[in-house]
């Protein structure tokens, strides 16, 4: 807060932008440490209708002028909307962590390059997929990057973060009876998939 107040007294616009970016990065890093430190947020569980949640998340990015390719056909879910039971803010945090990663490592220049958010029902499991067009993660490193405080030496290394984003997503998925998978995207990039048990 003191840094943000100091920014207001800075006349140099370029310097102000640099400081604002640094403060925002520090905010994100501190938030990740707090998220990881919490073993249980105390958030009540409830039924979560995933198409509604994903629509809200995509709209949240759109308000920030960050486009996410998300579209679903309700007719695909003739047996009812995909629903899980869990902590909505935790699930939201997991999805936004993955979308933020996609923007960080594969900044889009057109809508075609924007991260893709998809939803599918596979029997009694629901799959949430976030795909990007970035450098991806070597198959040999996939289990490694889910560990806390891990960074890659490759182009996808989180040089400014704490190395906790994927560890947080992995923990949230597992505490909801699901799992996180990181797969090479067809055509290049990464597909981060959260599998969760359907109601």
């Amino acid at each position: 807060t003191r840094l943000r107040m100091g920014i207001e007294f800075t006349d140099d616009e370029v310097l102000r932008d640099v400081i604002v970016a640094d403060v925002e990065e520090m905010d994100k890093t501190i938030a990740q440490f707090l998220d990881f430190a919490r073993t249980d947020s105390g958030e009540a569980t409830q039924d979560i209708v995933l198409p509604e949640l994903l629509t809200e998340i995509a709209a949240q990015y759109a308000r920030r002028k960050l486009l996410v390719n998300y579209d679903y056909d309700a007719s695909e879910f003739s047996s009812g909307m995909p629903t899980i039971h869990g902590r909505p803010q935790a699930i939201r945090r997991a999805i936004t962590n993955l979308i933020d990663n996609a923007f960080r490592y594969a900044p889009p220049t057109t809508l075609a390059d924007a991260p893709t958010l998809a939803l599918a029902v596979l029997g009694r499991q629901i799959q949430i997929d976030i795909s990007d067009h970035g450098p991806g993660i070597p198959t040999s490193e996939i289990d490694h990057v889910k560990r806390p405080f891990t960074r890659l030496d490759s182009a996808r290394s989180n040089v400014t973060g704490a190395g906790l984003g994927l560890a947080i997503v992995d923990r949230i998925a597992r505490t909801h009876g699901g799992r996180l998978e990181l797969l090479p995207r067809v055509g290049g990039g990464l597909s981060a998939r959260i599998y969760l048990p359907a109601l």
Side-chain angles (χ1 to χ4, degrees):
T1 302
R2 291 195 342 230
L3 285 171
R4 288 189 184 278
M5 289 178 62
I7 292 169
E8 299 301 319
F9 296 100
T10 303
D11 294 327
D12 186 328
E13 289 188 15
V14 175
L15 179 60
R16 184 185 303 125
D17 289 345
V18 170
I19 297 172
V20 166
D22 284 344
V23 170
E24 289 177 350
E25 194 61 47
M26 286 193 304
D27 278 346
K28 289 177 184 176
T29 300
I30 292 168
Q32 281 196 337
F33 274 109
L34 293 174
D35 282 344
F36 189 73
R38 296 187 187 103
T39 53
D40 184 356
S41 65
E43 181 186 4
T45 59
Q46 64 184 66
D47 291 352
I48 306 167
V49 181
L50 286 173
E52 295 176 0
L53 177 63
L54 299 190
T55 298
E56 290 174 12
I57 290 172
Q60 167 191 331
Y61 281 93
R63 286 192 292 272
R64 294 163 50 198
K65 309 298 183 189
L66 297 171
L67 294 179
V68 174
N69 288 309
Y70 172 63
D71 191 19
Y72 78 95
D73 183 354
S75 65
E76 293 179 16
F77 309 124
S78 55
S79 60
M81 290 301 227
T83 304
I84 64 168
H85 190 77
R87 302 192 306 276
Q89 290 308 315
I91 296 297
R92 180 188 294 269
R93 186 179 308 117
I95 296 167
T96 56
N97 272 4
L98 294 176
I99 296 174
D100 287 347
N101 275 356
F103 278 110
R104 180 189 297 264
Y105 299 119
T109 54
T110 66
L111 180 58
D113 294 333
T116 298
L117 178 60
L119 181 66
V121 179
L122 308 172
R124 296 304 304 162
Q125 282 194 322
I126 294 175
Q127 173 187 299
I128 303 167
D129 187 285
I130 296 93
S131 298
D132 66 47
H133 297 264
I137 296 174
T139 305
S140 60
E141 297 284 351
I142 284 176
D143 288 335
H144 182 63
V145 297
K146 294 180 188 178
R147 298 174 190 165
F149 309 108
T150 298
R151 299 175 184 170
L152 291 181
D153 293 329
S154 68
R156 208 170 171 101
S157 175
N158 185 356
V159 294
T160 57
L164 288 171
L166 291 176
I168 291 168
V169 176
D170 186 54
R171 175 190 284 178
I172 290 171
R174 285 187 290 103
T175 58
H176 283 80
R179 69 186 189 278
L180 168 67
E181 289 190 0
L182 303 171
L183 305 166
R185 177 185 168 276
V186 176
L190 181 76
S191 286
R193 293 178 181 171
I194 301 174
Y195 292 90
L196 298 167
L199 282 182

